[in-house]
Amino acid sequence: MITETICALATPSGGAIGVIRISGPQAISITANTFHSANGRSLTEANPNTIHYGEIINRKGDVIDDVLVSIFRAPHSYTGEDSTEISCHGSHYIINEILHTLIDAGCRQAKAGEYTQRAYLNGKMDLSQAEAVADLIATTNRATHRIALSQLKGNFSNELSILRDQLLKITSLIELELDFSDQDVNFADRQELLELVQKAEQRIGTLATSFETDNALKKGVPVAIVGKTNVGKSTLLNRLLHEDKAIVSDIHGTTRDVIEDTTEIHDITFRFIDTAGIRHTDDKIELLGIERTYQKINEATIILWLIDKQPTNEEISEIKKNIRGKKLITVWNKIDLENPPPIPTSLQSPIIYISAKQGTNIPQLEDALFQAADIPEIKENDIIITSARHYEALTHAHESISRVIEGLQKNLSGDLLSEDLRICIDHLAEITGGQITTNEVLENIFSHFCIGK
């Protein structure tokens, strides 16, 4: 049972307005003891979901600030507890004085993620929804925003609930068959069971695989810009980023280390890597840069091979050798200076003709990058796995249900099948919090939240 009342700043420090949250059994009474309402009424008598104007007064009787106080009564609040929110001016001094006054009156400073942890413990949301709060705060583009919002609304939880019900039904049928095994009664055809289990296995596998999409959306699709020296790699990077990130020079070997930055193309984040020009050199520092170029090629998903003249067969063979398993886009630069000849068809790559200096055909290059990224369009209710913890649980669940399929195909006994099904259900329950019992696990999950949320 939660007995402590907590307080914390819930908005970024330094803004025009600051919002301080108070939550717990004495939230309203503690706030009332520090607040003088303009109408003279006590907050303890205030109706829920109302806002009140007045002053915060410290223990010495000094006025700290004119404020607005919002009242929320359990269970109709974010945490499910009695709660108040004090809207004050954003001065560091004012905020700290109000927090000190609340602590003197009986509050405790909230820990990171403690408000959302209380919302979970009070049944306002399950664990996957609680984790979506942190994802929503950290969203960087439209796609990640839609994913977090979908999970917060409970779409992922509902999907897991449907899976759980299906697996429980299958488990019940198998266990009924075990109970009446001596009477030669069949409650389910093994082939029908196999088909049901295979459908569940495919859905669990699809959910687990979606974690790769989330990683790409959060971290950005890595794109390495490679090519010889002085072909315009840094100019292209600056053009794609819409800022002068890299030094541009006619001198060969100017870029001696990798330069990375991100930008959005069609609501997807791309992480561009400008690499050192590949050429034969005796310069030790430049050689280190070229070594890092090859390392970044290995890390990238997409390679932009920038050229400004007809590549030789040796150069084509070299690029093919270094991009195995990657998606290659050949970019012919400097078309403002001369018309490029046809490129050998053996390259087997989309070819975009651009002028990085003048910005010619950059939109076509961006379209090609978006297509090469092959990120599915994220719709409002789509379910994408965003947590490594969820991914691990789904992976274990997939392993368990795969054993069930194997057991059905080998006609194993029902008790073995039932055990693996229950293990699968337990792993799915871990995601929403059904199998999480220790405070240590909960503390680890919510410690990554910001204070005030």
Side-chain angles (χ1 to χ4, degrees), residues 212-416:
E212 298 176 8
T213 300
D214 179 71
N215 270 338
L217 290 171
K218 282 183 177 177
K219 298 177 182 178
V221 179
V223 181
I225 305 173
V226 303
K228 289 184 174 181
T229 58
N230 210 29
V231 292
K233 297 187 299 299
S234 296
T235 304
L236 177 58
L237 176 69
N238 291 339
R239 178 66 65 177
L240 290 167
L241 296 177
H242 307 289
E243 65 173 302
D244 293 335
K245 183 75 174 182
I247 297 173
V248 176
S249 171
D250 292 333
I251 302 171
H252 289 271
T254 303
T255 303
R256 296 190 172 201
D257 202 352
V258 296
I259 301 172
E260 297 188 31
D261 209 339
T262 61
T263 191
E264 282 189 36
I265 298 174
H266 303 326
D267 297 326
I268 300 298
T269 301
F270 285 81
R271 179 160 49 89
F272 289 102
I273 309 160
D274 179 22
T275 61
I278 300 173
R279 65 167 180 162
H280 295 292
T281 179
D282 294 326
D283 188 306
K284 292 183 179 180
I285 296 177
E286 191 177 349
L287 279 171
L288 287 173
I290 293 171
E291 286 179 14
R292 292 185 181 181
T293 292
Y294 286 112
Q295 290 175 7
K296 292 300 178 181
I297 288 175
N298 289 332
E299 295 174 13
T301 301
I302 302 171
I303 308 297
L304 290 184
W305 184 30
L306 199 61
I307 58 177
D308 60 359
K309 63 182 179 180
Q310 186 75 270
T312 64
N313 290 333
E314 182 183 355
E315 288 170 343
I316 292 174
S317 298
E318 182 72 14
I319 196 72
K320 283 183 175 180
K321 182 179 71 174
N322 285 294
I323 60 150
R324 288 172 184 167
K326 316 289 182 183
K327 294 180 180 178
L328 175 67
I329 300 175
T330 303
V331 183
W332 191 303
N333 191 24
K334 303 181 183 178
I335 62 170
D336 53 310
L337 300 181
E338 60 178 319
N339 292 323
I343 294 178
T345 56
S346 61
L347 195 56
Q348 297 178 340
S349 157
I351 302 168
I352 310 295
Y353 297 89
I354 70 163
S355 168
K357 185 176 182 180
Q358 296 185 354
T360 307
N361 293 339
I362 294 300
Q364 287 88 325
L365 176 57
E366 290 176 338
D367 289 342
L369 283 164
F370 178 74
Q371 292 174 7
D374 196 26
I375 301 293
E377 181 184 358
I378 307 301
K379 299 178 182 178
E380 187 175 348
N381 294 322
D382 284 352
I383 300 171
I384 304 292
I385 302 308
T386 61
S387 162
R389 188 182 72 82
H390 300 173
Y391 173 72
E392 183 180 7
L394 285 166
T395 300
H396 290 319
H398 192 264
E399 291 170 354
S400 300
I401 202 166
S402 295
R403 290 196 297 269
V404 176
I405 291 174
E406 185 180 355
L408 285 167
Q409 290 170 337
K410 293 181 177 179
N411 203 30
L412 294 182
S413 65
D415 55 342
L416 295 175

Side-chain angles (χ1 to χ4, degrees), residues 114-145:
E114 191 168 1
Y115 292 96
T116 306
Q117 183 174 352
R118 289 189 176 201
Y120 162 68
L121 293 172
N122 290 324
K124 298 294 288 185
M125 59 182 73
D126 66 34
L127 200 53
S128 70
Q129 289 174 292
E131 289 169 291
V133 173
D135 286 339
L136 193 62
I137 293 170
T139 55
T140 56
N141 55 49
R142 185 182 299 179
T144 54
H145 174 261

